[in-house]
Amino acid sequence: MTRRIKKVAIIGSGIMGSGIACHFANIGVEVLLLDIVPRELNDKEKAKGLTLEDKVVRNRLVNDALTTSLKSKPSPIYSQKFASRITTGNLDDDIAKVADVDWIMEVVVERLDIKKIVFEKLEKYRTPGTIVSSNTSGIPIQFMNEGRSDDFQQHFAVTHFFNPPRYLKLFEVVPGPNCKQEVTDFLMMYGDKFLGKTSVLAKDTPAFIGNRIGIFGIQSLFHQVKELGLTVEEVDKLTGPVIGRPKSATFRTVDVVGLDTLVHVANGIYGNCPDDEAHELFKLPGFINTMMENKWLGSKTGQGFYKKSVVDGKKEILTLDLDTLEYRSKKRAKFATLELTKTIDKPIDRFKVLVGGKDKAGEFYRKNFAAMFAYVQNRIPEISDELYKIDDAMKAGFGWENGPFEIWDAVGVEKGIELMKAEGNEPATWVTKMLATGSTSFYSVKEGATYFYDIPSKSQTKKPGQDSFIILDNIRKSNEVWKNSGAVIEDLGDGILNLEFQSKMNTIGGDVLAAINKAIDLAEKNYQGLIIGNQAANFSVGANIGMIFMMAVEQEYDELNYAIKYFQDTMMRMRYSAIPTISAPHGMALGGGCEISLHADKVVAAAETYIGLVEFGVGVIPGGGGSKEMALRASDLFHKGDVQLNVLQEHFLTIGMAKVATSAYEAFDLGLLQKGKDVVVVNKDRQIAQAKKHALLMADAGYTQPTKRNDVLVLGKQALGMFLVGTDSMEASNYISAHDQKIANKLAYVMAGGDLSEPTKVSEQYLLDIEREAFLSLCTERKTLERIQHMLKTGKPLRN
């Protein structure tokens, strides 16, 4: 039987429950969100004369929780419109409605007695065959299963999301002892394909995989920090982006998650894993106990390892001194070892240098990785039979770029053993046997696929689930067709090429534009289609503004004009090539990165795509065809003057306010993606493979080179007048600066098609020419150069 999920019930509307409800709504599923009935009226309800029988009172807890969730930042939902897919209710009046759902998920407080009461209630109304799961982060399934019917137990598993559910990719599936294999297989598939997660099959052990290893890592640091005499800032500097971890690193992450949450899991592991060789490490150090007593739990209580404060009228972030347990001003952390890694782009390539450091940082990394390697090797087969699951869990649940075994490979397996021995730890028997078989690493890449060392078979085995992915790291060397300093072109097979940017932050300069032209040349000659996509953190942060700044300062306007025209011509080459071009944006796709997507035949966007034309922030208008394209799209949507004016105004504001979509779905509302043409992929790992499928479909359908457009309806003075009146009033009311007004007026001129006396049909080239002229004229302005310089120095826009 084919199982389909059309409707889910989420029981419990706290931070996790509401977040999970929003993520199901994100993917188009109908959600029933239920919570308990309040036991007493609040002051507002008393003032209104309401009673405990009123519906608004009975649903107060669930409605307040969902409202709070929807207002939180970052948002749990791709588009606020999707919230209409969630229906709220309470466990007394609406429990019978669970009979109509396909999946019931319990997300109540972490207490077995309460969970058992909920399951008892659900059992009365649940339709046999319906999946039931718990989002527990550690209560053993055998206890939750007690007293349940056979059918319930056969369809019961843990499905553990990480917070926030929209953004963290780990989805741990832990089948109950009597759970049917088909249910386990379905949940693993659904997490990956529909929820966009990394599904990891875990065993029913305390804290499963992610939290067992993650909490070990944090507890290990808590004990090391005093031993090595490191400050909070120093640890966060050493455990952040330099090693491929989130900016929040260690202590800032604990503040965000909540110290109480971490302590709860650590205590659970300490209490339930008496035979763990690192058992004593899960005991809380003194300073953590003091912080718990003082309720210094992090962001939720206003202070933790960091505290926001106002000193002399200025906002300042103070740091906790772990020796005195008093807050002090932040200190800058600097280490010679980290300086040595500045020229190494990829974190995976830095680990060898870091463990060789001669300073305190080098000592920290040697101790830290030695402890981690020793711990993860001993968790096999306790928490997982396969080593790759541990790496997958840490990458997806904690945002690590590389898992522990990948880091060990990067350091060298023998070197890792040397580090462990220096700290008094021995390699596990299976690691010694692996080296004896001639396998010198935990992973290898063959024929574009990742292989891992499989302990029972003592051989490198293909990692499952890769067939629906294309992993560029695995094919780059073997399938490279052409490369230059800024990009590489790979053959994806079946006649489809992929162009991958490799410049810093994937900025677009002359080398990247040359690569786009080269890729189109190659594809038109010998291939079927072209994808522009990569698997870096961000698609592209836009044009290389450093280059624009240098040309403008040197007043090399002819060269600058040529550079902008080259960008425009390349975008038009993409649009009017003889093969389908597909853009695959994800993460940040800003400025020029957005313009590439605007000119592709189709966009296959990751759901987490933050796309926008942000050029106003550096004092210019979009100059790579972006301003032209938004005018063209307004013309295509409507050919009725008055209605077109409204759409044109919306597109003008999208550029003028430098709006950035907070998801691919929001990009449709901004007109940056087009309904019926562009598509969204929830699982970023599947994005390139999906883009390839679309390229092949377009090629197979008989893709024909489009004819150039000469029919773009522009409104001339009618639109220009309206825009100029608007910018005048905004400047007069101090809403924008005089320079903002100047930029906005230049944009208005382009999007109106100039000061034509009546609505006229013009060519794309006409609009591109006036766009380029406006861009160049703004580059002669001192205030624009100040904005560009400020952005280059600080990474933040300047409003001057």
Side-chain angles (χ1 to χ4, degrees):
M1 134 181 149
T2 304
R3 192 182 281 276
R4 299 200 193 284
I5 303 295
K6 296 185 285 247
K7 193 170 183 179
V8 299
I10 308 289
I11 314 299
S13 65
I15 291 170
M16 281 305 286
S18 289
I20 293 168
C22 286
H23 194 55
F24 273 100
N26 280 339
I27 63 165
V29 175
E30 212 180 316
V31 183
L32 175 67
L33 180 63
L34 304 179
D35 213 320
I36 57 172
V37 174
R39 292 199 182 128
E40 53 188 42
L41 298 170
N42 64 24
D43 292 341
K44 275 186 186 171
E45 289 161 348
K46 285 175 189 167
K48 286 181 181 174
L50 297 170
T51 73
L52 286 172
E53 295 311 306
D54 284 305
K55 190 79 173 170
V56 67
V57 175
R58 294 176 77 75
N59 287 351
R60 185 219 316 148
L61 295 177
V62 67
N63 287 334
D64 285 359
L66 181 60
T67 302
T68 301
S69 181
L70 289 168
K71 283 181 183 168
S72 65
K73 285 196 164 79
S75 175
I77 206 149
Y78 292 152
S79 167
Q80 291 292 327
K81 292 185 292 190
F82 294 175
S84 64
R85 295 168 181 165
I86 304 171
T87 305
T88 55
N90 65 71
L91 284 167
D92 289 358
D93 305 331
D94 305 293
I95 187 85
K97 292 176 183 172
V98 302
D100 301 329
V101 307
D102 309 296
W103 180 354
I104 303 166
M105 191 182 304
E106 167 274 305
V107 197
V108 302
V109 65
E110 284 287 81
R111 271 179 50 188
L112 181 61
D113 56 338
I114 292 175
K115 289 184 189 293
K116 284 190 139 183
I117 292 166
V118 169
F119 294 141
E120 186 77 38
K121 264 189 165 186
L122 290 171
E123 185 109 67
K124 289 176 188 166
Y125 298 100
R126 163 188 171 268
T127 302
T130 303
I131 292 174
V132 186
S133 70
S134 170
N135 184 61
T136 181
S137 55
I139 294 176
I141 297 184
Q142 63 203 50
F143 299 145
M144 292 191 284
N145 248 343
E146 279 171 6
R148 301 277 62 83
S149 67
D150 288 349
D151 187 81
F152 189 103
Q153 291 190 34
Q154 286 165 5
H155 295 87
F156 184 63
V158 163
T159 50
H160 183 216
F161 287 81
F162 273 58
N163 191 29
R166 168 181 164 182
Y167 298 95
L168 283 181
K169 287 193 66 181
L170 182 54
F171 182 67
E172 289 178 314
V173 176
V174 190
N178 305 320
C179 184
K180 287 181 176 177
Q181 186 62 43
E182 68 185 62
V183 173
T184 306
D185 294 345
F186 174 81
L187 290 169
M188 290 290 289
M189 177 281 295
Y190 194 88
D192 160 40
K193 195 172 179 181
F194 291 89
L195 291 165
K197 303 295 178 195
T198 299
S199 299
V200 174
L201 188 64
K203 295 184 177 185
D204 192 11
T205 54
F208 311 130
I209 297 177
N211 278 334
R212 181 75 174 272
I213 305 299
I215 300 297
F216 164 81
I218 292 170
Q219 285 287 123
S220 176
L221 274 174
F222 282 169
H223 290 281
Q224 278 175 6
V225 67
K226 285 290 192 73
E227 183 191 334
L228 291 172
L230 291 164
T231 65
V232 163
E233 297 97 326
E234 285 175 330
V235 170
D236 276 356
K237 179 83 172 171
L238 294 169
T239 59
V242 70
I243 58 168
R245 309 267 169 92
K247 268 190 203 162
S248 53
T250 301
F251 290 114
R252 178 80 191 99
T253 298
V254 174
D255 275 358
V256 171
V257 171
L259 185 63
D260 52 339
T261 305
L262 178 122
V263 164
H264 173 76
V265 182
N267 285 339
I269 298 171
Y270 184 76
N272 293 311
C273 301
D275 300 328
D276 188 314
E277 79 281 359
H279 184 248
E280 287 308 300
L281 207 72
F282 289 97
K283 213 177 204 171
L284 301 170
F287 69 91
I288 296 293
N289 286 321
T290 306
M291 289 175 74
M292 287 294 288
E293 285 163 21
N294 292 348
K295 296 273 192 292
W296 296 349
L297 308 179
S299 306
K300 64 174 92 168
T301 58
Q303 63 192 102
F305 291 103
Y306 295 99
K307 175 185 178 181
K308 281 183 183 169
S309 182
V310 177
V311 180
D312 300 329
K314 283 185 180 176
K315 284 183 184 174
E316 191 183 343
I317 293 175
L318 303 177
T319 310
L320 187 66
D321 185 307
L322 298 179
D323 293 320
T324 64
L325 289 185
E326 288 178 356
Y327 289 94
R328 55 158 176 77
S329 294
K330 275 178 92 173
K331 292 178 183 171
R332 194 155 172 261
K334 202 172 179 189
F335 296 98
T337 297
L338 299 192
E339 297 299 311
L340 300 174
T341 66
K342 280 194 168 169
T343 54
I344 306 171
D345 286 342
K346 291 186 174 177
I348 193 76
D349 299 326
R350 295 177 190 150
F351 292 111
K352 264 189 176 155
V353 175
L354 295 175
V355 296
K358 303 282 190 284
D359 56 1
K360 204 192 275 188
E363 187 187 354
F364 168 82
Y365 286 123
R366 286 188 290 277
K367 279 183 177 294
N368 190 270
F369 292 135
M372 181 59 78
F373 298 161
Y375 194 69
V376 294
Q377 65 169 4
N378 292 334
R379 300 286 69 76
I380 296 173
E382 182 200 346
I383 65 173
S384 172
D385 294 323
E386 295 89 7
L387 61 89
Y388 73 83
K389 288 180 181 171
I390 290 176
D391 280 355
D392 282 356
M394 296 318 296
K395 291 191 288 185
F398 287 80
W400 293 13
E401 209 166 297
N402 309 106
F405 289 106
E406 290 173 343
I407 295 169
W408 194 343
D409 262 353
V411 169
V413 178
E414 296 273 16
K415 177 68 180 173
I417 291 171
E418 186 190 307
L419 296 179
M420 288 196 301
K421 285 184 170 175
E423 295 299 317
N425 293 308
E426 289 298 318
T429 311
W430 71 264
V431 177
T432 313
K433 281 183 179 170
M434 178 185 91
L435 292 171
T437 65
S439 267
T440 54
S441 63
F442 298 109
Y443 292 99
S444 58
V445 172
K446 284 184 278 187
E447 290 129 23
T450 301
Y451 285 71
F452 72 98
Y453 178 74
D454 180 58
I455 297 163
S457 68
K458 297 188 181 69
S459 64
Q460 292 281 336
T461 304
K462 190 175 175 182
K463 188 180 167 188
Q466 290 176 84
D467 298 334
S468 52
F469 302 159
I470 291 172
I471 302 164
L472 296 177
D473 278 350
N474 289 356
I475 64 167
R476 195 175 295 114
K477 281 181 185 157
S478 57
N479 295 33
E480 185 184 297
V481 175
W482 183 90
K483 78 179 287 187
N484 67 6
S485 57
V488 58
I489 301 168
E490 300 115 351
D491 183 350
L492 300 183
D494 303 313
I496 304 298
L497 288 180
N498 183 74
L499 171 66
E500 181 183 6
F501 301 165
Q502 292 198 311
S503 51
K504 187 166 184 180
M505 294 286 282
N506 286 340
T507 49
I508 303 160
D511 48 1
V512 168
L513 294 174
I516 295 173
N517 282 289
K518 180 69 177 178
I520 294 170
D521 285 343
L522 290 168
E524 286 184 332
K525 207 169 182 182
N526 296 314
Y527 295 87
Q528 299 270 324
L530 170 68
I531 295 161
I532 298 180
N534 61 69
Q535 289 165 336
N538 297 299
F539 178 70
S540 171
V541 296
N544 182 343
I545 57 169
M547 179 192 74
I548 293 168
F549 180 71
M550 290 307 294
M551 287 183 192
V553 165
E554 299 290 332
Q555 297 185 6
E556 292 169 346
Y557 298 127
D558 284 345
E559 281 188 40
L560 187 52
N561 179 46
Y562 173 77
I564 304 308
K565 187 168 190 314
Y566 187 35
F567 199 134
Q568 289 182 339
D569 290 349
T570 303
M571 294 303 95
M572 296 302 277
R573 182 93 203 278
M574 272 180 67
R575 169 154 294 169
Y576 295 110
S577 63
I579 41 92
T581 56
I582 310 260
S583 171
H586 63 272
M588 288 192 281
L590 305 175
C594 176
E595 285 171 317
I596 284 172
S597 292
L598 292 177
H599 289 88
D601 288 309
K602 192 179 202 75
V603 179
V604 176
E608 298 300 342
T609 298
Y610 317 118
I611 187 168
L613 295 163
V614 295
E615 286 82 354
F616 259 59
V618 288
V620 292
I621 67 167
S627 305
K628 171 274 301 177
E629 185 60 21
M630 295 308 272
L632 180 147
R633 289 188 178 192
S635 162
D636 282 353
L637 279 169
F638 299 105
H639 281 280
K640 294 177 192 158
D642 56 336
V643 186
Q644 188 189 349
L645 207 53
N646 295 343
V647 177
L648 193 66
Q649 192 171 21
E650 279 176 25
H651 287 0
F652 174 80
L653 288 172
T654 293
I655 300 175
M657 295 172 76
K659 289 183 184 178
V660 176
T662 59
S663 73
Y665 288 100
E666 206 172 275
F668 286 107
D669 299 335
L670 295 178
L672 299 170
L673 293 184
Q674 294 181 299
K675 289 182 174 119
K677 187 185 97 163
D678 299 329
V679 294
V680 179
V681 177
V682 181
N683 190 336
K684 194 179 102 171
D685 294 340
R686 291 173 171 264
Q687 189 183 11
I688 302 289
Q690 287 296 324
K692 180 183 170 184
K693 281 182 185 170
H694 283 284
L696 284 169
L697 277 172
M698 291 170 78
D700 291 346
Y703 181 84
T704 308
Q705 183 168 335
T707 53
K708 293 207 171 170
R709 298 280 303 270
N710 295 303
D711 62 343
V712 185
L713 183 67
V714 293
L715 302 179
K717 284 183 175 171
Q718 182 191 356
L720 188 56
M722 177 194 70
F723 286 141
L724 297 184
V725 168
T727 61
D728 255 355
S729 63
M730 286 172 87
E731 197 269 339
S733 56
N734 291 324
Y735 189 72
I736 58 173
S737 69
H739 192 56
D740 287 329
Q741 185 184 13
K742 186 175 276 187
I743 307 163
N745 288 350
K746 295 277 186 189
L747 176 66
Y749 187 84
V750 176
M751 292 188 75
D755 57 0
L756 301 167
S757 55
E758 60 183 20
T760 310
K761 286 187 176 176
V762 298
S763 68
E764 272 184 274
Q765 194 55 52
Y766 167 83
L767 288 171
L768 286 168
D769 290 344
I770 59 173
E771 173 189 277
R772 189 170 71 258
E773 195 181 308
F775 185 97
L776 283 166
S777 70
L778 286 167
C779 287
T780 66
E781 298 280 344
R782 181 176 57 83
K783 289 196 168 178
T784 286
L785 297 182
E786 286 170 2
R787 288 190 180 194
I788 297 176
Q789 190 172 29
H790 190 266
M791 179 62 79
L792 287 168
K793 274 187 182 171
T794 68
K796 291 173 183 162
L798 169 73
R799 300 319 285 257
N800 55 354

